[in-house]
């Protein structure tokens, strides 16, 4: 089992701890604060609520979380050490020295620093090659980006290993090719923050108006295409060259305050804090955090459906989670197909619940639809086969809602073949949370030619795989509820 040591368990360390833990790593937290475990608990609760929503496959079982006051105990034998102590160089140096005195020489030491260069962190270090910046974004358990910044002294093989591990956690490692104060993203955000402060100070806009200008417009654009691709599309068919010819010269106009920073006087602080209270003081911070996570999950799941940006990262993570499990297998890989087959194992995501607080009935159909898709892939009717012109179309569906499922619940669907012969495929899905039956879904499908849109025979390979499962399932008892008419009770 892989183990991570989290040094400093505040906002960021807590997010890292959650990300590792929920991806099956054991996590040791080292933080001198006697309240360290109490501080971590709410972050972990938020992560448990939101992170499993990102993929349509369940995460592995959680690792074990422990708290330590002794550095040797915290870092001995670990694979990854993530330093997230306060942003003061002398504290970071002392902590890194203590870490290196006790950790394996080939462990990865990542620093969460927002501002320092890795060469600054490495100054005086016993083994500088082990140290790199791995700069995350809050909330670390949801945001994919990690800026990975090596210095010329960092061992590049270790950097590559770190990037591979980050991918297995669902992160997107972005290698920063040249170390620089504040890396890439915070440099950019600094400029935005500076302009926003001027706009408030000069009375041009309130904090709320600035936030509306972002979230009603370019903020949504940036989340899916960033800056340059957004401008490229704004240039029309002529693309980036046209855009630059048109708007490049505008940068010389006196729009921007450039490098000037407004003085942080009491007056400015009062102005901004007062406006912020007026804007959002009606909500508690924990209410805002829950809304933030719901929104982030919803937006990222929309990108996932388009396999785009952060959503493409989630799909890659999900493919890795399926690999080597029954959820990624072909029927030929399964020795025993005599029992109903696992076709879905996932968390109920935050955006699947309704006003009653439980999974919306449309999502039961979605889960059963996913189970059918998975069954089709299992017998060889996968994307590649569908591209050759054959597929199954659903002709009839019957769902029975037996019990509730809440957001975050891990649900499983097991699929029994009632008929699998020629063009016909009749499936019976049962959805469980643990041992509790939540619903059943019965689907009747016909194999069709995508050219004629008429029923057609499946390929011989599909027939063989389906025949085998259908023959094995022929010995199973008819499931309770199969073929039931609407409204019938047992
Ligand atoms: N807050 C953000 O949005 C953000 C984003 C990315 C990176 N970062 C970086 O992450 C780091 C931590 O920031 P944070 O916001 O989590 O701060 P924080 O104040 O919330 O947490 C710091 C934690 O470190 C602990 N600590 C203090 N001295 C320690 C020591 N000697 N050994 C172990 N633990 C110690 C504290 O008890 C506290 O729990 C900083 O380097 C910061 O630049 C912050």
């Amino acid at each position: 089992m892989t183990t991570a040591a989290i040094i400093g368990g505040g906002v960021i360390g807590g997010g890292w701890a959650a990300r590792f833990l929920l991806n099956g790593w054991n996590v040791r937290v080292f933080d001198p604060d006697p309240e360290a475990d109490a501080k971590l608990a709410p972050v972990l609760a938020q992560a448990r609520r939101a992170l499993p929503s990102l993929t349509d496959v369940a995460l592995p079982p959680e690792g074990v979380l422990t708290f330590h006051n002794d550095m040797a105990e915290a870092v001995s034998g670990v694979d990854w050490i993530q330093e997230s102590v306060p942003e003061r160089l002398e504290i970071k140096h002392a902590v890194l020295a203590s870490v290196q005195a006790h950790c394996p020489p080939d462990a990865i030491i990542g620093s969460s620093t927002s501002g320092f260069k890795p060469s600054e962190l490495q100054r005086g270090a016993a083994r500088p090659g082990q140290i790199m910046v791995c700069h995350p974004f809050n909330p670390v358990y949801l945001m994919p980006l990690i800026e990975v910044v090596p210095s010329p002294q960092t061992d590049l093989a270790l950097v590559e290993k770190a990037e591979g591990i980050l991918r297995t956690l669902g992160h997107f490692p972005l290698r920063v090719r040249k170390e620089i104060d504040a890396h890439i993203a915070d440099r950019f955000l600094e400029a935005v923050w500076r302009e926003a402060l001027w706009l408030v100070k000069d009375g041009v806009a309130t904090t709320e108006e600035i936030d509306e200008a972002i979230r009603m417009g370019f903020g949504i654009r940036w989340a899916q295409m960033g800056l340059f691709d957004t401008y490229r599309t704004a240039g029309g068919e002529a693309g980036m060259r046209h855009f630059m010819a048109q708007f490049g010269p505008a940068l010389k106009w006196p729009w921007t305050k450039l490098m000037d920073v407004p003085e942080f006087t009491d007056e400015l602080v009062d102005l901004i804090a007062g406006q912020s209270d007026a804007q959002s003081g009606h909500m508690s911070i924990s209410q805002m955090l829950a809304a933030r996570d719901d929104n982030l999950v919803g937006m990222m799941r929309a990108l996932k459906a388009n396999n785009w940006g952060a959503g493409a990262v989630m799909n890659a993570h999900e493919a890795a989670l399926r690999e080597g499990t029954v959820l990624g297998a072909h029927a030929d890989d399964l020795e025993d197909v005599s029992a109903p087959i696992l076709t879905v194992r996932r968390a109920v995501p935050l955006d699947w619940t309704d006003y009653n607080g439980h999974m919306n009935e449309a999502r039961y159909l979605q889960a059963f639809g996913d189970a059918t898709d998975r069954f089709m892939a299992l017998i060889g009717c996968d994307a590649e086969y569908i591209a050759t012109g054959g597929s199954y179309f659903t002709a009839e569906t019957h769902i029975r809602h037996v019990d509730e499922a809440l957001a975050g619940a891990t649900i499983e669907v097991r699929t029994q073949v009632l008929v699998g012969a020629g063009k016909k495929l009749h499936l019976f899905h049962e959805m469980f949370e643990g041992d509790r039956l939540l619903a059943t879904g019965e689907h009747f499908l016909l194999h069709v030619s995508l050219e004629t849109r008429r029923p057609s025979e499946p390929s011989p390979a599909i027939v063989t795989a389906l025949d085998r499962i259908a023959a094995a399932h022929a010995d199973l008892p008819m499931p309770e509820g199969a073929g039931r008419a609407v409204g019938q009770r047992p």
Side-chain angles (χ1 to χ4, degrees):
M1 178 72 106
T2 37
T3 303
I6 304 299
I7 314 299
V11 175
I12 293 304
W16 275 108
R19 177 72 90 153
F20 276 108
L21 196 70
L22 270 66
N23 277 286
W25 283 54
N26 289 334
V27 172
R28 301 185 201 154
V29 175
F30 175 94
D31 191 315
D33 187 341
E35 300 288 302
D37 51 349
K39 269 196 321 202
L40 196 76
V43 182
L44 205 49
Q46 288 153 19
R48 285 192 178 119
R49 180 176 167 275
L51 176 62
S53 292
L54 290 189
T55 46
D56 296 311
V57 177
L59 294 170
E62 277 186 29
V64 176
L65 175 68
T66 49
F67 292 87
H68 303 265
N69 294 319
D70 179 61
M71 184 64 88
E73 197 184 278
V75 301
S76 67
V78 301
D79 305 275
W80 187 298
I81 297 120
Q82 186 66 29
E83 172 277 301
S84 306
V85 301
E87 187 75 345
R88 299 231 317 263
L89 199 52
E90 72 280 12
I91 301 183
K92 301 226 182 244
H93 279 155
V95 163
L96 289 171
S98 167
V99 164
Q100 289 204 313
H102 303 287
C103 76
D106 58 350
I108 292 152
I109 303 180
S111 169
S112 298
T113 180
S114 303
F116 297 119
K117 297 193 281 279
S119 58
E120 290 173 294
L121 300 173
Q122 288 166 331
R123 217 175 287 145
R127 293 181 302 275
Q130 232 183 332
I131 298 172
M132 67 195 82
V133 168
C134 290
H135 177 235
F137 292 79
N138 194 24
V140 185
Y141 54 81
L142 286 183
M143 302 300 280
L145 182 62
I146 304 292
E147 290 176 315
V148 177
V149 199
S151 84
Q153 274 189 291
T154 311
D155 173 359
L156 281 185
L158 207 57
V159 175
E160 276 164 23
K161 186 174 169 194
E163 290 168 338
I165 291 174
L166 288 168
R167 285 190 195 96
T168 67
L169 300 172
H171 277 303
F172 179 80
L174 178 67
R175 176 89 64 95
V176 179
R177 57 180 74 229
K178 199 169 168 178
E179 60 167 346
I180 185 175
D181 294 324
H183 330 306
I184 298 173
D186 281 355
R187 284 292 289 264
F188 187 57
L189 289 178
E190 185 91 346
V192 175
W193 173 231
R194 196 169 52 231
E195 294 298 336
L197 292 179
W198 277 117
L199 289 170
V200 177
K201 181 179 161 52
D202 291 350
V204 177
T206 62
T207 57
E208 182 166 4
E209 286 158 358
I210 291 171
D211 283 350
E212 299 295 20
I214 296 171
R215 62 189 171 200
M216 297 298 163
F218 66 83
I220 307 177
R221 283 197 320 221
W222 278 357
Q224 52 85 47
M225 269 197 188
L227 182 68
F228 286 99
D229 266 0
T230 296
Y231 283 169
R232 181 185 176 86
T233 55
E237 283 304 319
M240 201 65 196
R241 282 183 189 285
H242 175 70
F243 182 83
M244 287 195 293
Q246 199 175 0
F247 295 106
L251 281 183
K252 295 237 168 81
W253 299 348
W255 282 5
T256 162
K257 293 282 186 176
L258 295 171
M259 297 307 291
D260 284 352
V261 182
E263 192 74 22
F264 255 80
T265 58
D266 290 349
E267 197 188 351
L268 181 59
V269 171
D270 287 348
L271 179 66
I272 291 175
Q275 287 186 358
S276 177
D277 287 347
Q279 179 182 348
S280 307
H282 60 287
M283 284 180 283
S284 70
I285 295 295
S286 66
Q287 281 174 323
M288 289 180 78
L289 292 180
R292 175 199 68 183
D293 285 3
D294 289 0
N295 295 333
L296 288 173
V297 164
M299 289 193 288
M300 288 199 277
R301 287 184 59 77
L303 292 171
K304 183 171 186 290
N306 291 341
N307 198 31
W308 188 271
V313 175
M314 290 153 62
N315 281 332
H317 188 209
E318 183 174 307
L321 290 170
R322 285 181 194 277
E323 220 173 88
T325 75
V326 62
L327 294 171
H330 183 277
D332 293 350
D333 306 329
L334 304 180
E335 256 172 49
D336 182 2
V337 291
S338 59
I341 297 170
L342 182 76
T343 43
V344 167
R345 183 175 152 73
R346 61 164 310 139
V348 175
L350 294 175
D351 60 347
W352 277 24
T353 52
D354 64 12
Y355 42 82
N356 293 319
H358 59 202
M359 186 159 87
N360 182 294
E361 66 252 51
R363 302 303 186 171
Y364 284 83
L365 177 56
Q366 183 164 347
F368 287 134
D370 290 346
T372 294
D373 285 349
R374 174 61 205 131
F375 186 85
M376 285 164 53
L378 181 80
I379 57 172
C381 185
D382 53 13
E384 208 176 308
Y385 175 81
I386 291 167
T388 68
S391 187
Y392 283 93
F393 283 4
T394 309
E396 195 169 335
T397 292
H398 182 196
I399 294 177
R400 292 185 310 149
H401 300 273
V402 180
D403 210 340
E404 294 181 293
L406 304 181
T410 300
I411 56 171
E412 288 188 351
V413 177
R414 294 180 186 279
T415 302
Q416 179 173 340
V417 177
L418 300 183
V419 176
K423 302 163 199 163
K424 292 181 181 173
L425 179 59
H426 186 171
L427 299 176
F428 192 81
H429 303 297
E430 287 182 308
M431 183 191 293
F432 294 94
E433 182 186 359
D435 294 336
R436 202 162 55 92
L437 181 69
L438 302 177
T440 66
E442 194 171 344
H443 291 202
F444 182 76
L445 299 99
L446 283 170
H447 188 276
V448 292
S449 152
L450 292 174
E451 200 179 318
T452 64
R453 320 302 278 188
R454 312 290 311 164
S456 68
E457 291 299 323
S459 72
I462 289 180
V463 170
T464 307
L466 181 56
D467 277 355
R468 178 175 162 236
I469 300 174
H473 287 195
D475 295 336
L476 293 171
M478 196 58 148
E480 194 275 315
R484 172 102 50 84
V486 170
Q488 260 185 327
R489 292 285 161 201

